[in-house]
Amino acid sequence: MKDNITGAEALMRSLEHEGVDTIFGYPGGSIMPVFDALYDYQKSLNHILVRHEQGAAHAAQGFARVSGKVGVCLVTSGPGATNTVTGIADAMIDSTPIVVIAGQVATGFLGTDAFQEVDLVGITQPISKWSYQIRRAEDVAWAVSRAFYIARSGRPGPVVLDFAKNAQVEKTDYEPVEVDYIRSYVPTPEMDMHELQQAADLINSAERPMVLVGQGVELGNAQEELKTFIEKAGMPAGCTLQGLSALPTGHPLNKGMLGMHGNLGPNVNTNKCDVLIAVGMRFDDRVTGKLATYAKQAKVVHFDIDPAEIDKNVKADVAVLGDCKETLAEVTKLLKPATHTEWVDSFQVYEKVEEEKVIRPELHPAGKSLSMGEVVRVVSEATKHEGVLVTDVGQNQMIAARYFKYTKNRSIVTSGGLGTMGFCLPAAIGATFGTPERTVCAIMGDGGLQMCIQELGTIMEQKAPVKIIVLNNNYLGNVRQWQAMFFNHRYSFTPMMNPDYMKIASAYDIPSRRVMTHEDLGAAVEEMLATDGPFLLEACVEEEGNVLPMTPPGGSVNQMLLEC
């Protein structure tokens, strides 16, 4: 027998049916009936009250990235809804599955410029996989099921449900709905055996093959298939920023990070390999540098689930469409065992140069000031390289990605494509709910912290065990570095006057410590990790420290700068 319930309660039951147990949100007038229904579902649906709707979207992203589940946020109409737009756009470009449910004025008021009315569907259609307005209570179960199916299937991404207030209070005969097919929507292309054989033939004939590992490996849970693939053919690999934890840092074929601030070897050898195999990555401009000179000597094999990425930036000689967990396994069956010893060993030349000119000075600085990389490496080592790294955007992001080490999958959460300052703190909160058994290390700059600093209130209320590491250099560091290198040291509005973070942490009842010397760093990090619950560690680092190596803007990947 069907239950006759309100649309708001139908939403609660539909979320339960989808396996949702955590929601990040903020109440308001147009979503109030839903929050009233939520009052009776608190045992099964844990609602985390954030301090700003942008924080709800980023927290949902952090939750999704570490758990592999769909993140959910619940907000009101008008400014509540528009405050999530940055998070929606961020999730779209970084392929993060979230469902944003926003209140809306009743259908009778649509188009009248009613209080807190905004065309959320029109705003979010270009930055979401699907954006839909629920106008009738009877459509709730179908819309929710469809939303979750679209968000999690194929290449994941954000979905927006705009929930009219009348649909929240009207009654409907509820029964759960299962959407697993949408006409004209093909989330996972079928494998083509001819493509698989072509890819295998190119790889088998290669003398200097190189694999580029993207986040698609993590999204597809294909980490073991990737290892088997590269090990059988003896192929060195470089990882994109988002793909860093898809392959353990210590794996002998992992040659480091690709991109503008990546490692020297994989960047230079991109322009020396004869077959370039991209797996679940989109040839972002920060990875390719100058496209006109990018890997022109190589045949390109591109594994991807999204046909839109094929030939978008880099022309593929062979495109292998499908779920990489399946396509990698099938191509591996066709590969001949190989070692490519001389080619793999060629990376050592660049590793030695980078170690001498960049890594050793960064990890063991000669001056009195702490270096950013030194702090990151001590934190990583203290977690036995098993922590989850959540970063903000800027120097802190690049330095953390470089010097944190990864031994487990889904260990890096960062805003890659959109580059959203303020992402780190709320995303780290979400990560603590997505993987409560792991240590979540939130590494951010002084600029990024202040963009979403109000989420310290969420941490206080939830006692979320976020280990906050603030790399404080009193600058907007990344912009300052570019000003130093390309704008003749004209530091236009990048110096930062900062508050006393110890006092702020104290006001939120968060234990804290400030560290300024090499000698005190280890003990401070140990205190942070030994403290139950949240902790804020302010590391006062060199004010004009730079992140190196660096491919200059518009430069080629084999022209990395090792010094400023």
Side-chain angles (χ1 to χ4, degrees):
M1 182 176 176
K2 300 176 182 178
D3 291 333
N4 190 255
I5 58 177
T6 66
E9 187 172 355
L11 174 63
M12 298 299 103
R13 295 201 191 178
S14 297
L15 292 175
E16 284 185 328
H17 184 70
E18 293 295 335
V20 174
D21 55 19
T22 305
I23 302 170
F24 304 92
Y26 203 94
S30 290
I31 199 67
M32 205 172 294
V34 170
F35 273 87
D36 184 66
L38 183 57
Y39 190 85
D40 296 324
Y41 283 79
Q42 294 179 67
K43 289 185 179 179
S44 58
L45 296 172
N46 182 26
H47 178 269
I48 310 304
L49 177 65
V50 296
R51 297 307 188 260
H52 190 283
E53 292 90 353
Q54 181 179 347
H58 292 328
Q61 288 179 270
F63 177 91
R65 293 274 284 275
V66 299
S67 68
K69 301 176 183 178
V70 178
V72 179
C73 67
L74 182 64
V75 299
T76 195
S77 64
T82 58
N83 281 343
T84 67
V85 167
T86 297
I88 295 167
D90 196 291
M92 186 67 176
I93 199 166
D94 280 348
S95 305
T96 305
I98 65 172
V99 171
V100 176
I101 304 164
Q104 181 57 280
V105 301
T107 55
F109 290 98
L110 289 171
T112 68
D113 293 331
F115 179 67
Q116 292 192 333
E117 179 194 0
V118 70
D119 181 5
L120 186 62
V121 172
I123 291 170
T124 58
Q125 274 184 334
I127 55 170
S128 63
K129 286 188 74 177
W130 185 52
S131 186
Y132 179 76
Q133 188 172 77
I134 304 174
R135 297 188 177 192
R136 305 184 304 172
E138 62 193 77
D139 294 333
V140 170
W142 168 84
V144 170
S145 181
R146 182 180 171 110
F148 276 78
Y149 172 64
I150 292 173
R152 67 164 68 98
S153 60
R155 180 180 181 173
V159 170
V160 176
L161 294 178
D162 192 38
F163 199 177
K165 196 167 185 179
N166 62 288
Q168 299 173 37
V169 298
E170 291 168 358
K171 292 289 190 74
T172 184
D173 291 333
Y174 172 81
E175 62 179 340
V177 173
E178 292 282 353
V179 173
D180 58 7
Y181 169 77
I182 300 171
R183 188 177 63 182
S184 79
Y185 173 56
V186 182
T188 305
E190 288 188 18
M191 287 188 293
D192 183 319
M193 293 308 298
H194 179 64
E195 292 174 352
L196 298 174
Q197 187 62 61
Q198 282 186 310
D201 289 345
L202 269 182
I203 295 168
N204 285 333
S205 65
E207 296 181 1
R208 300 180 306 280
M210 182 172 163
V211 180
L212 311 184
V213 179
Q215 187 190 197
V217 174
E218 296 265 58
L219 296 174
N221 297 310
Q223 298 91 347
E224 291 304 314
E225 287 79 7
L226 173 73
K227 281 194 281 188
T228 303
F229 174 68
I230 64 172
E231 288 169 358
K232 184 174 182 179
M235 297 182 289
C239 300
T240 68
L241 174 66
Q242 300 284 27
L244 280 171
S245 62
L247 190 63
T249 305
H251 192 288
L253 291 172
N254 186 347
K255 298 305 174 183
M257 186 168 81
L258 300 160
M260 178 176 279
H261 289 291
N263 294 107
L264 187 61
N267 278 290
V268 172
N269 276 347
T270 294
N271 277 9
K272 292 187 176 182
C273 65
D274 59 357
V275 176
L276 191 67
I277 305 110
V279 184
M281 55 88 71
R282 57 189 179 84
F283 289 109
D284 176 75
D285 61 289
R286 288 296 174 98
V287 166
T288 64
K290 187 178 180 180
L291 276 171
T293 58
Y294 182 77
K296 292 302 178 182
Q297 78 295 335
K299 296 288 186 181
V300 175
V301 179
H302 193 171
F303 288 78
D304 213 287
I305 200 169
D306 186 357
E309 292 299 337
I310 303 300
D311 297 338
K312 187 177 81 176
N313 294 323
V314 173
K315 175 73 175 174
D317 293 278
V318 177
V320 182
L321 287 169
D323 185 332
C324 64
K325 188 175 183 67
E326 299 173 357
T327 55
L328 282 175
E330 290 302 314
V331 169
T332 301
K333 295 176 184 177
L334 304 172
L335 295 183
K336 299 174 183 176
T339 55
H340 301 293
T341 304
E342 185 176 345
W343 167 239
V344 173
D345 288 347
S346 73
F347 285 78
Q348 294 178 6
V349 175
Y350 305 109
E351 289 167 359
K352 289 177 181 177
V353 170
E354 187 176 351
E355 175 72 28
E356 179 184 345
K357 294 192 174 183
V358 177
I359 298 175
R360 192 178 302 138
E362 181 68 32
L363 296 183
H364 305 285
K368 293 181 180 180
S369 298
L370 291 168
S371 73
M372 294 179 287
E374 173 188 15
V375 175
V376 171
R377 181 56 60 85
V378 170
V379 171
S380 182
E381 288 176 348
T383 68
K384 298 181 173 58
H385 307 304
E386 295 181 348
V388 173
L389 169 66
V390 185
T391 84
D392 210 80
V393 168
Q395 285 187 317
N396 66 87
Q397 178 185 36
M398 294 294 100
I399 210 81
R402 281 181 54 84
Y403 293 105
F404 210 82
K405 290 188 176 182
Y406 312 92
T407 58
K408 295 185 175 182
N409 304 139
R410 294 186 179 272
S411 289
I412 180 167
V413 180
T414 190
S415 174
L418 198 63
T420 305
M421 285 183 68
F423 173 88
C424 182
L425 196 60
I429 294 170
T432 64
F433 287 94
T435 180
E437 72 282 0
R438 298 183 67 186
T439 300
V440 175
C441 301
I443 296 180
M444 63 196 76
D446 42 314
L449 170 59
Q450 293 184 74
M451 284 202 168
C452 280
I453 198 168
Q454 71 279 349
E455 298 308 330
L456 291 174
T458 308
I459 291 175
M460 173 183 66
E461 182 173 342
Q462 300 296 329
K463 296 181 173 54
V466 180
K467 306 305 181 184
I468 304 165
I469 301 99
V470 184
L471 303 179
N472 187 359
N473 58 11
N474 296 307
Y475 275 101
L476 296 175
N478 205 52
V479 182
R480 183 214 56 77
Q481 178 172 336
W482 281 50
Q483 288 172 336
M485 297 178 72
F486 311 116
F487 291 88
N488 198 30
H489 293 267
R490 290 161 57 88
Y491 294 163
S492 181
F493 299 99
T494 46
M496 290 277 288
M497 179 179 287
N498 283 307
D500 187 331
Y501 292 118
M502 300 299 97
K503 291 181 179 178
I504 290 175
S506 177
Y508 284 102
D509 199 26
I510 297 173
S512 64
R513 181 167 172 176
R514 177 181 291 122
V515 61
M516 305 179 71
T517 66
H518 310 289
E519 295 76 19
D520 294 337
L521 178 59
V525 170
E526 290 297 335
E527 179 186 349
M528 175 182 73
L529 296 180
T531 301
D532 289 335
F535 193 98
L536 189 151
L537 176 63
E538 179 187 6
C540 299
V541 297
E542 180 185 359
E543 289 199 345
E544 297 191 36
N546 293 315
V547 185
L548 294 166
M550 180 180 183
T551 302
S556 299
V557 291
N558 58 345
Q559 296 174 334
M560 299 193 83
L561 304 175
L562 297 177
E563 56 188 12
C564 293

